[in-house]
Amino acid sequence: MEKGALRPDAFRGKTIVVTGGGTGLGKAMSHYFSTLGANLIISSRKIEVLQATAKELSQLTGNPVLPIACDVRDPVAIEQLIKEGEARFGQIDVLVNNAAGNFISPTERLSANAFSTIIDIVLKGTVNCTLAFGKNWIARKQPAVILNIVTTYATTGSGYVVPSAVSKAGVLAMTRSLAVEWGKYSIRQNAIAPGPFPTKGAWERLLPGELAEEFDFKKRVPLKRVGEHHELANLAAFLISDFAGFINGEVVTIDGGEWLQGAGEFNNLDVLPAEMWDSIENTIRKSNK
Ligand code: HXC
Ligand code: NAP
């Protein structure tokens, strides 16, 4: 992990669970948390992927990374993960709800099962984990932190990814609701809304084939680039750290200004050449007289 902002031992003694931690952004966050000394638990459906990532990360950082197969749709498997995690590390301090499923499609092409498949992973999976971890922490009277990875369209909505948008909006509503309800138990929770961060999982399902060239995310972002994994990992580390101890119920957007670019009524005037502005200014000034 390059360019880390926190001091090297910031998470020493802390145990962090990252769902979907074997790949993509989950792996990037796990790598940084492990660099900072955390005991890591990474989980998802594919144990071979998790084992390979765990080996790679623990070799890089020298800190323990425990891979546990756990489908977030299965409450019994989540209970088992908590038991195994506590048996190994004593207690779990942080849950990062990062696991997700998604694909682009016109909504009218979706079967009921296609819609449910995404809701079951993204919304219900996050609910299942939050509920199981939360009940355990409350019973143990243990302060804890939850970080939910959503998307910018959790707030704006978006066509062609409607099951995901519906689910992420639900996760954001839960983040804000439980930030208040569970504040009294010292369980703090926030969300991150990332813009485009290239990962195999997302790009294969959201920009398949030629779409990757036609629909270039870099052009949609005012900073004219996509996100770098270490940028997201640094934000996540800050939000789960004690330095963010008074931040609760917040969603932090990290998208280079992408969603605002789409929202501002006149932002597409960007396409006008500089020399045209003289003639536009003259026309406006004339009509003012
Ligand atoms: C229409 C589709 C479809 C498609 C699947 N289905 N793909 N329908 N168009 N392209 C339908 C199937 O026909 C089936 O419905 C139902 O969805 C379930 O499909 P399965 O393949 O059986 O599901 P499963 O094996 O459980 O796989 C889940 C998955 C898959 C979500 C479809 O993509 C996956 O495992 N994803 C995990 C990783 C991932 O998606 N990462 C990207 C996260 S990016 P029927 O009716 O036929 O039974 C992200 C935000 C990015 O979330 C924002 C970027 C800016
Ligand atoms: P990714 O690599 O495909 O990550 C998704 C992870 O979720 C995988 O590791 C997958 O592992 C796991 N997963 C899927 N279904 C699961 C289930 N039922 N139970 C447990 N784990 C499951 O994609 P990514 O881009 O890194 O996405 C990570 C997070 O960032 C997601 O929440 C996504 O919505 C969010 N996000 C990404 C972007 C982006 O540009 N990349 C933008 C906005 C938001 P298995 O297949 O092994 O289960």
Side-chain angles (χ1 to χ4, degrees), residues 162-178:
V162 173
S164 171
V166 165
S167 304
K168 295 288 194 181
V171 171
L172 185 52
M174 184 171 67
T175 310
R176 289 171 167 151
S177 306
L178 287 180

Side-chain angles (χ1 to χ4, degrees), residues 19-27 29 43-47 49-50 69-74 97-102 117 120-122 125 129 148-153 164 168 192-203 205-206 217 229 232 254:
T19 68
T23 65
L25 299 181
K27 181 177 176 181
M29 289 187 280
S43 70
S44 78
R45 294 168 299 182
K46 301 190 190 96
I47 188 65
V49 174
L50 294 169
C70 172
D71 189 324
V72 292
R73 293 169 296 188
D74 180 356
N97 283 309
N98 165 79
N102 203 355
T117 297
D120 284 350
I121 301 171
V122 181
C129 289
N148 295 322
I149 308 301
V150 295
T151 56
T152 52
Y153 58 66
S164 171
K168 295 288 194 181
I192 292 179
F197 283 77
T199 64
K200 188 170 184 292
W203 260 228
R205 292 166 178 96
L206 302 171
F217 273 116
H229 289 196
L232 184 108
I254 176 166

Side-chain angles (χ1 to χ4, degrees), residues 4-58:
L6 294 188
R7 66 189 151 72
D9 272 341
F11 291 158
R12 185 74 59 203
K14 296 273 183 204
T15 301
I16 303 173
V17 172
V18 180
T19 68
T23 65
L25 299 181
K27 181 177 176 181
M29 289 187 280
S30 298
H31 184 183
Y32 187 38
F33 302 160
S34 179
T35 303
L36 295 173
N39 304 318
L40 240 294
I41 300 172
I42 56 173
S43 70
S44 78
R45 294 168 299 182
K46 301 190 190 96
I47 188 65
E48 312 77 40
V49 174
L50 294 169
Q51 282 166 340
T53 298
K55 192 171 169 201
E56 181 190 336
L57 297 189
S58 57

Side-chain angles (χ1 to χ4, degrees), residues 99-196:
N102 203 355
F103 54 78
I104 49 166
S105 175
T107 307
E108 66 275 16
R109 289 172 62 104
L110 298 177
S111 65
N113 186 44
F115 218 108
S116 304
T117 297
I118 303 304
I119 292 178
D120 284 350
I121 301 171
V122 181
L123 177 55
K124 289 178 73 180
T126 305
V127 169
N128 292 338
C129 289
T130 301
L131 203 54
F133 279 74
K135 283 180 179 179
N136 183 51
W137 285 323
I138 292 165
R140 294 169 64 112
K141 297 189 169 37
Q142 191 196 311
V145 179
I146 299 175
L147 178 65
N148 295 322
I149 308 301
V150 295
T151 56
T152 52
Y153 58 66
T155 308
T156 63
S158 174
Y160 303 96
V161 283
V162 173
S164 171
V166 165
S167 304
K168 295 288 194 181
V171 171
L172 185 52
M174 184 171 67
T175 310
R176 289 171 167 151
S177 306
L178 287 180
V180 175
E181 192 182 334
W182 286 357
K184 60 180 173 285
Y185 302 119
S186 297
I187 298 173
R188 195 168 65 72
Q189 51 202 291
N190 292 295
I192 292 179

